[in-house]
Amino acid sequence: MKKSVFALVSSVLVLGAALAGCGGQSASTPPANNNNSAQTPAPAEKPAAPQVLKMNLHSEPPTADPGLAEDTTSGAVIRATFDGLTRTGEDGTPHESVAEKIDVSDDLITYTFHLRDAKWSNGEPLTAHDFEYAWKRVLNPKTAANYAYQLYYIKNAEKANKGEAKPEDIGVKALDDKTLQVTLENPTPYFLELTAFYTYYPVSKAVVEKDPKWASEAKTHVGNGPFKMESWEHKSKLVLVKNENYWDKDAVKLDKIEFSMVEDENTELSMFDNGEIDWAGSPLSSLPTDAIPALKQSGKMTTQPIAGTYWYKFNTEKAPFNNVKIRKAFAYSINRQAIIDNVTQTNQAPAMGAVPPSMNLGVDGYFKDNDLETAKTLLAEGMKELGIDKLPPITLSFNTSEGHKKIAEAIQDQWKKNLGVDVKLENKEWKVYIEDLHQGNFQVGRMGWLGDFNDPINFLELYKDKKGGNNDTNWENPQYKELLNKSALEKDSAARKKILADAEKILMEDMPIAPIYFYTNSWVKNDKVKGVIVDGLGFIDFKWGFIE
């Protein structure tokens, strides 16, 4: 997941991913590569050009703590400054990283990770105990980690997160400094993809317990990744430098990554045109919609489909969206193709369901685009059920971005013309916006989701629990929950796929969200920038980047 701060044209929470996403690998087969540095070819010697990459972050990262991160901006910084047991390579599959060897039991339940010699950026040794501490910290209810559910595949993890089991009951244990044993609830074919995701990264117990705000300043930030923080001028600039204590430092060619923080997409593109930055657009920002036709024609723009969905969330506990027919009326009356043709303009596909095509559930869609006749009928029926003859004021919220604003304006206009509804638009800075969503301070709110791994459960589980970390809609359905639980136990892939399709049908029948389109990522970059990976889930990884 990930939410994306902007992702008009796409990547977590979403900015906001490529064709088949991060292709899953059987849990019975450990990653194929015992040398993580070989995942992506790198120049044999350090290139002669200055190895400084200049990028723009569309907004201030809400956190640099892997246990608390839930958005693409934070995720990009964390992926650069941390490393997991596995790391996704250029081939889209997980490879050994901090773990140099992985043993999997015959029943696919127990994973034993054998760690290589690794250090924290402060030079202290990194051990299996750091992973155990980090995962149990995420699951501690007091941590209030919205991504805690990503660890629910581990035995007793969900129970511990809900206060129904003790930390020592959780199926993760450091057998010694170099051996981590993990016991799962059920066989999970994509578990090694999960261990490459930032919620599974280690943190230093000594650092975290010494300073609760350790991850908010460069001088106290400690990671174990290819880069470390040199400086962080909040809402202005963040600088990463090569981490000489990284276990695979010889594979890292960049000396420095300089991130500016400019919210205006036109300013960002001008900075790129002037040579002030080397990259503009996705996955860390967006390209200005007005510039896209010319960029397309010039051939400079790269567009890549990713496993993500742009949607609007309804607060199902606030009138009038406590009525399912009214939610459907608003969702059905959106002309998605017109938004793609006239606003986003980067070959997105209209979303008639929640799950992206790369996760193919074999469903063409659950409703028609721009179905005005049905929408008007449902609106009238819903208002009658609520006993009202006029809708209350409607507010549509979005976070600061030219793209989000233009999409909101288009939908505001469509709802006025199609349903006769007056809609007020509300724009907020990302950090405030996401907190308001989590607190239920909205009626309709824009969001997107990019797959954390390429499986439908990653999208569907968002709405499993009313108070789930990233639900926000306050919707819950017992039958839906039962199907998701059933899918976790189903070993036959075809049968599991049918169960998940049935679950998605319920989600679309109750319509707590209105899917808008499936993402693409679009960007322009300096031709001299090589080796930076943007994978099928929209994640960006600078580890193997270099300037030619």
Side-chain angles (χ1 to χ4, degrees):
M1 126 265 11
K2 39 208 174 274
K3 303 182 186 101
S4 163
V5 177
F6 6 82
L8 160 66
V9 283
S10 111
S11 146
V12 93
L13 289 172
V14 182
L15 273 174
L19 292 175
C22 276
Q25 192 164 351
S26 170
S28 61
T29 308
N33 204 334
N34 282 328
N35 182 356
N36 195 54
S37 64
Q39 293 173 37
T40 302
E45 298 180 359
K46 190 163 185 172
Q51 294 302 299
V52 180
L53 176 64
K54 297 181 179 181
M55 303 278 292
N56 182 52
L57 294 174
H58 186 271
S59 62
E60 167 89 354
T63 183
D65 180 341
L68 298 179
E70 54 176 320
D71 65 282
T72 47
T73 310
S74 300
V77 173
I78 290 166
R79 193 165 280 104
T81 53
F82 285 86
D83 202 7
L85 294 165
T86 56
R87 196 174 188 100
T88 303
E90 188 178 33
D91 58 2
T93 64
H95 298 252
E96 290 90 341
S97 204
V98 176
E100 62 181 352
K101 183 173 178 289
I102 304 170
D103 297 323
V104 186
S105 63
D106 291 340
D107 62 2
L108 311 183
I109 293 292
T110 304
Y111 285 69
T112 304
F113 297 91
H114 303 276
L115 275 56
R116 64 179 81 245
D117 289 330
K119 293 180 180 180
W120 291 104
S121 55
N122 62 5
E124 294 294 321
L126 185 152
T127 72
H129 300 281
D130 293 314
F131 282 94
E132 179 182 353
Y133 170 76
W135 296 6
K136 289 182 176 179
R137 171 178 174 256
V138 169
L139 291 168
N140 186 335
K142 293 181 180 178
T143 304
N146 283 325
Y147 256 8
Y149 67 86
Q150 290 284 39
L151 291 152
Y152 285 3
Y153 304 94
I154 300 169
K155 188 173 182 64
N156 291 322
E158 182 174 7
K159 290 180 180 178
N161 188 231
K162 295 179 177 179
E164 300 168 2
K166 299 176 181 177
E168 54 265 32
D169 297 330
I170 300 171
V172 54
K173 184 175 180 57
L175 302 182
D176 54 45
D177 285 353
K178 292 293 184 67
T179 314
L180 185 74
Q181 187 175 82
V182 182
T183 306
L184 305 182
E185 287 280 2
N186 304 289
T188 305
Y190 42 84
F191 186 64
L192 294 179
E193 290 184 47
L194 285 168
T195 54
F197 188 66
Y198 49 72
T199 311
Y200 282 78
Y201 287 172
V203 294
S204 167
K205 181 179 180 180
V207 170
V208 174
E209 293 188 344
K210 180 181 178 182
D211 181 4
K213 297 182 178 180
W214 67 277
S216 61
E217 301 294 340
K219 63 182 179 181
T220 52
H221 190 270
V222 175
N224 70 313
F227 302 92
K228 62 182 180 181
M229 274 196 204
E230 181 180 72
S231 62
W232 187 352
E233 300 170 35
H234 292 283
K235 297 189 177 181
S236 176
K237 189 176 183 179
L238 190 153
V239 178
L240 306 180
V241 294
K242 181 175 178 177
N243 176 14
E244 291 298 335
N245 285 317
Y246 182 50
W247 72 267
D248 198 22
K249 65 180 181 180
D250 291 344
V252 181
K253 305 304 174 187
L254 290 172
D255 291 321
K256 184 179 289 190
I257 306 174
E258 297 179 353
F259 292 107
S260 53
M261 297 181 198
V262 175
E263 284 192 339
D264 184 79
E265 290 93 341
N266 287 290
T267 302
E268 177 182 311
L269 185 58
S270 293
M271 291 169 67
F272 173 78
D273 290 337
N274 295 333
E276 297 172 54
I277 56 175
D278 299 307
W279 191 303
S282 295
L284 300 181
S285 184
S286 303
L287 293 171
T289 54
D290 293 342
I292 286 174
L295 290 173
K296 272 184 181 177
Q297 191 172 12
S298 71
K300 295 178 181 178
M301 186 175 76
T302 297
T303 296
Q304 170 180 298
I306 56 175
T309 311
Y310 190 104
W311 52 41
Y312 278 179
K313 293 183 175 183
F314 296 112
N315 188 336
T316 63
E317 290 188 342
K318 283 194 175 182
F321 300 110
N322 55 339
N323 182 278
V324 63
K325 289 181 178 177
I326 290 179
R327 295 197 297 268
K328 285 184 174 181
F330 275 70
Y332 290 3
S333 62
I334 296 172
N335 188 333
R336 292 157 179 78
Q337 192 60 56
I339 290 169
I340 293 166
D341 292 342
N342 302 313
V343 181
T344 62
Q345 305 177 78
T346 53
N347 300 324
Q348 294 88 351
M352 303 298 132
V355 177
S358 70
M359 300 178 185
N360 184 18
L361 283 181
V363 180
D364 293 330
Y366 299 91
F367 56 93
K368 293 189 295 182
D369 188 28
N370 197 32
D371 188 356
L372 301 186
E373 184 177 347
T374 304
K376 290 176 181 178
T377 299
L378 288 169
L379 181 64
E381 292 176 355
M383 290 174 66
K384 185 176 180 181
E385 289 176 3
L386 290 177
I388 59 176
D389 54 17
K390 183 179 180 182
L391 288 173
I394 304 297
T395 300
L396 171 57
S397 305
F398 58 93
N399 55 291
T400 305
S401 161
E402 179 210 16
H404 295 329
K405 180 182 179 184
K406 289 190 174 183
I407 292 172
E409 288 172 342
I411 291 178
Q412 176 192 43
D413 183 60
Q414 290 177 8
W415 282 343
K416 176 65 175 177
K417 290 179 179 177
N418 299 338
L419 301 178
V421 177
D422 289 315
V423 178
K424 175 188 174 184
L425 300 185
E426 184 177 61
N427 169 49
K428 299 177 183 178
E429 183 269 330
W430 172 243
K431 195 170 183 178
V432 174
Y433 176 75
I434 195 62
E435 184 60 29
D436 278 351
L437 239 64
H438 289 338
Q439 296 300 322
N441 299 326
F442 75 104
Q443 275 186 304
V444 187
R446 151 340 308 150
M447 191 46 68
W449 193 260
L450 302 182
D452 300 324
F453 50 94
N454 201 52
D455 190 276
I457 192 67
N458 185 233
F459 283 73
L460 300 177
E461 68 185 352
L462 291 171
Y463 302 101
K464 181 179 178 181
D465 296 306
K466 178 178 178 177
K467 295 303 179 182
N470 287 310
N471 186 334
D472 302 325
T473 67
N474 292 310
W475 173 82
E476 189 174 271
N477 181 299
Q479 187 181 358
Y480 181 79
K481 183 182 293 191
E482 182 182 348
L483 286 170
L484 295 189
N485 290 338
K486 186 178 177 182
S487 74
L489 302 174
E490 181 54 65
K491 295 181 181 179
D492 180 81
S493 60
R496 178 176 180 270
K497 182 176 175 181
K498 173 66 166 57
I499 292 169
L500 293 175
D502 289 344
E504 186 182 23
K505 184 178 180 181
I506 291 174
L507 183 67
M508 290 295 95
E509 187 63 32
D510 280 6
M511 200 66 77
I513 57 171
I516 310 296
Y517 60 77
F518 296 121
Y519 277 114
T520 58
N521 264 346
S522 293
W523 66 83
V524 290
K525 75 174 181 69
N526 187 324
D527 291 338
K528 293 183 178 180
V529 176
K530 306 290 184 183
V532 175
I533 295 174
V534 180
D535 70 16
L537 296 170
F539 294 131
I540 189 166
D541 195 337
F542 303 105
K543 174 177 175 175
W544 300 279
F546 63 98
I547 308 297
E548 194 171 54

